[in-house]
Amino acid sequence: MLVIDRFLNRTRQQDEGGAVLVTVVVVMFVGFIIAATIAASVVFTIGANVDNKDRTQAFIAAESGRDAAVASIKSAITSTGLNCASVPMAANSTAGSAPIFSYTIRSSEATVRPTGWDASGVTTTCPSPTTKWVVIRSTGTGTNDAQTTIDAVYPWYHGPATTPSGTVAFFEGEFKATKSTYTGDLVIREGDYECNNGATGAIDGDLWVLRGGLTITDDCTVTGSVYTRDAIEIKNKKFTVGGDVISVAGQIKLNVNGVSIGGDVYAAGNIDTKNGKGKVDGSFRTHLAMVDHVPADWTRADGVTPVPVLTGEPTPVISPTLEQVFAATAWIELTASTTWSSAALPVDAPAPGTVCTTAQLQAVLSATGTRAVIDMTGCPAGGSGIKVAPGNVTVARDVVILVPSSEKMDLELTGTISRPTGTTLAAGPQLLIVHLDPNGSDGRPPACSSSALDKFSAGTTNSVRTLIYSACGIGSTMSLTMSGQLYMGSDGLHLNGGTFTCMPMSWAPTLPTISCGIKGTGGIFDPSNTVTRLDNLAYQSER
């Protein structure tokens, strides 16, 4: 019996040893699989990182090629345009080991931005005065031959070196000058214009109505010429123009006694002179016909010579065209992100919200030295908005006052604002008051309700060039005697009395010289004053 027990015990021990061995083998096999998996993952990750590094190198090389092409173009821009002989339209990086790049330059005269280097209208032509876009294709190659290709599109500009003033640049049919004198070319970008400056007022310059017509509700005097897209209708009031009166797409009605025009009357439509009488020191020119015209009622300035009548004329063409003026007078967006200084052009900038009161404003305005930027963000806002009231002050340096777009502006220039003794209006300090635009990406002023319009009151003793920028516009009818710039949103401004004189102003690097005229010396279309530039990147694709 004892022998049998020992045999059974020995058998059980042997069976248990075999089971343990199997378990050990299984565990080792699982461990091997896990180790192999980890090793494979590590190898894959290392390989992927190597590939990513190569692709990153290729992308950086492609961007380097793009930047080299941009630098090559910019370095060849001269005062007369681009020196194409100095611009290689294709080039490679300096010889050496990878990463490397190669690029080619193309251009397009299309109005619409091209989508890439091989888009329709993109050619191998060197950028010229008629070019609208420059397209750069740059290919970068990494150390393991990975490649990335970039198509980069840049706006190209060749045109007026000056940006037009607000009164030239942006009123959309809402500007009125009742019994007021406005000195400088006046451009209305959108809608009709109502002229009513009265017997004592005038527009001392040209009047441009780019996308509308002209009517008068009181005597209207323009010392320069009148250019409109649509109809010109004159009745019951005197109409005095020093130059031409031209409607490029509409008719002209001169149904009033007392017309005095120093140049031609030229219309794409009919010219209607029923019940009209006056002097035209040029000719009646129409693409269609004269209507109810009595030749005896119209003479040259001498009161004797008849006014020639030319029918069947070509439709009027003016230079610059209305659309060119429209494009050149685009809204300038000044927002919270606008930069007012640079390393080369520093400013004195008190902390936002620390210069709010009249005394605080006067302390900054009257101090001499570096230009100053006053940010009124955080200043208390009353029912009419943040009050900007410098009071009686001598402005000793160029100063910008910024009012945040989140609040309305209550501007009071009712005190005596003077410049230092011995300085002139044209060369003395400038005061720029800017109520910021809340949207810097739409190319337009904001749409504002009547309750959001700014408030503005002014005295008659301001001897400092002053720019007032209001993104919404001014909800006031006022007499204004001031020199400088008015830059208003589409709600504009209604002047009733006073004399506003437009004068050139600037603030580098933010605002170039802001002009007061369209044509001729100093105007935005002065042929002798042009600039060529490659603007910031507009579009880029990578593959």
Side-chain angles (χ1 to χ4, degrees), residues 27-217:
V27 170
M28 291 176 62
F29 182 70
V30 171
F32 173 78
I33 292 174
I34 292 173
T37 302
I38 293 173
S41 177
V42 169
V43 170
F44 175 80
T45 301
I46 292 172
N49 287 340
V50 170
D51 290 341
N52 287 339
K53 176 183 177 182
D54 198 35
R55 285 193 292 269
T56 300
Q57 288 177 336
F59 177 75
I60 294 173
E63 288 205 321
S64 298
R66 177 203 64 192
D67 294 343
V70 169
S72 174
I73 293 171
K74 288 185 174 181
S75 66
I77 294 176
T78 69
S79 59
T80 58
L82 182 66
N83 180 7
C84 288
S86 300
V87 180
M89 299 299 286
N92 301 312
S93 54
T94 305
S97 59
I100 58 175
F101 65 76
S102 62
Y103 69 78
T104 55
I105 301 171
R106 290 187 171 186
S107 65
S108 173
E109 296 182 2
T111 302
V112 179
R113 174 182 57 77
T115 56
W117 183 81
D118 50 4
S120 176
V122 177
T123 69
T124 58
T125 306
C126 180
S128 70
T130 58
T131 294
K132 297 294 188 297
W133 304 94
V134 170
V135 184
I136 298 169
R137 170 167 287 182
S138 177
T139 299
T141 303
T143 52
N144 290 331
D145 296 330
Q147 287 192 331
T148 295
T149 297
I150 287 175
D151 282 358
V153 183
Y154 293 83
W156 179 260
Y157 178 80
H158 177 85
T162 55
T163 299
S165 69
T167 42
V168 171
F170 215 95
F171 282 111
E172 294 193 341
E174 296 295 333
F175 179 83
K176 296 181 180 179
T178 303
K179 298 179 175 62
S180 300
T181 295
Y182 169 82
T183 300
D185 288 354
L186 177 62
V187 173
I188 307 299
R189 299 182 86 239
E190 297 278 3
D192 298 335
Y193 180 66
E194 179 184 292
C195 185
N196 60 348
N197 47 44
T200 59
I203 296 172
D204 189 5
D206 293 336
L207 171 62
W208 298 74
V209 186
L210 305 183
R211 294 187 173 180
L214 171 66
T215 59
I216 67 170
T217 56

Side-chain angles (χ1 to χ4, degrees), residues 244-337:
D244 298 326
V245 176
I246 300 176
S247 172
V248 300
Q251 64 178 340
I252 296 177
K253 291 186 174 183
L254 301 176
N255 308 132
V256 64
N257 186 2
V259 173
S260 177
I261 297 172
D264 290 337
V265 178
Y266 195 179
N270 294 324
I271 297 177
D272 183 345
T273 61
K274 184 178 181 179
N275 301 322
K277 187 175 182 178
K279 294 179 170 60
V280 175
D281 214 22
S283 302
F284 286 112
R285 303 178 62 189
T286 170
H287 181 61
L288 297 180
M290 299 295 295
V291 176
D292 294 325
H293 183 61
V294 179
D297 291 337
W298 297 89
T299 67
R300 291 281 180 84
D302 59 13
V304 176
T305 306
V307 180
V309 174
L310 305 173
T311 60
E313 290 280 277
T315 55
V317 176
I318 58 176
S319 180
T321 66
L322 299 184
E323 284 305 306
Q324 285 175 324
V325 176
F326 186 87
T329 56
W331 175 252
I332 299 174
E333 293 182 310
L334 302 178
T335 70
S337 61

Side-chain angles (χ1 to χ4, degrees), residues 285-481:
R285 303 178 62 189
T286 170
H287 181 61
L288 297 180
M290 299 295 295
V291 176
D292 294 325
H293 183 61
V294 179
D297 291 337
W298 297 89
T299 67
R300 291 281 180 84
D302 59 13
V304 176
T305 306
V307 180
V309 174
L310 305 173
T311 60
E313 290 280 277
T315 55
V317 176
I318 58 176
S319 180
T321 66
L322 299 184
E323 284 305 306
Q324 285 175 324
V325 176
F326 186 87
T329 56
W331 175 252
I332 299 174
E333 293 182 310
L334 302 178
T335 70
S337 61
T338 298
T339 300
W340 296 92
S341 64
S342 66
L345 298 166
V347 298
D348 175 16
T354 60
V355 180
C356 302
T357 66
T358 296
Q360 290 168 338
L361 288 169
Q362 289 174 343
V364 178
L365 291 166
S366 61
T368 58
T370 305
R371 303 178 305 167
V373 175
I374 299 172
D375 186 349
M376 299 190 75
T377 301
C379 290
S384 299
I386 293 178
K387 186 178 289 294
V388 182
N392 301 317
V393 64
T394 297
V395 181
R397 54 179 171 172
D398 288 356
V399 178
V400 172
I401 299 175
L402 304 177
V403 178
S405 60
S406 57
E407 300 288 349
K408 293 194 297 183
M409 177 175 68
D410 183 2
L411 177 59
E412 293 184 2
L413 301 182
T414 53
T416 298
I417 302 175
S418 57
R419 61 183 186 271
T421 302
T423 62
T424 64
L425 181 61
Q430 305 175 105
L431 176 60
L432 290 79
I433 302 166
V434 178
H435 188 189
L436 297 170
D437 186 344
N439 187 348
S441 61
D442 59 356
R444 297 186 54 80
C448 302
S449 64
S450 59
S451 61
L453 300 180
D454 292 330
K455 184 179 178 182
F456 178 30
S457 56
T460 59
T461 51
N462 183 350
S463 63
V464 174
R465 281 180 298 154
T466 303
L467 178 147
I468 300 172
Y469 177 104
S470 173
C472 281
I474 304 293
S476 306
T477 297
M478 61 182 298
S479 174
L480 179 63
T481 295

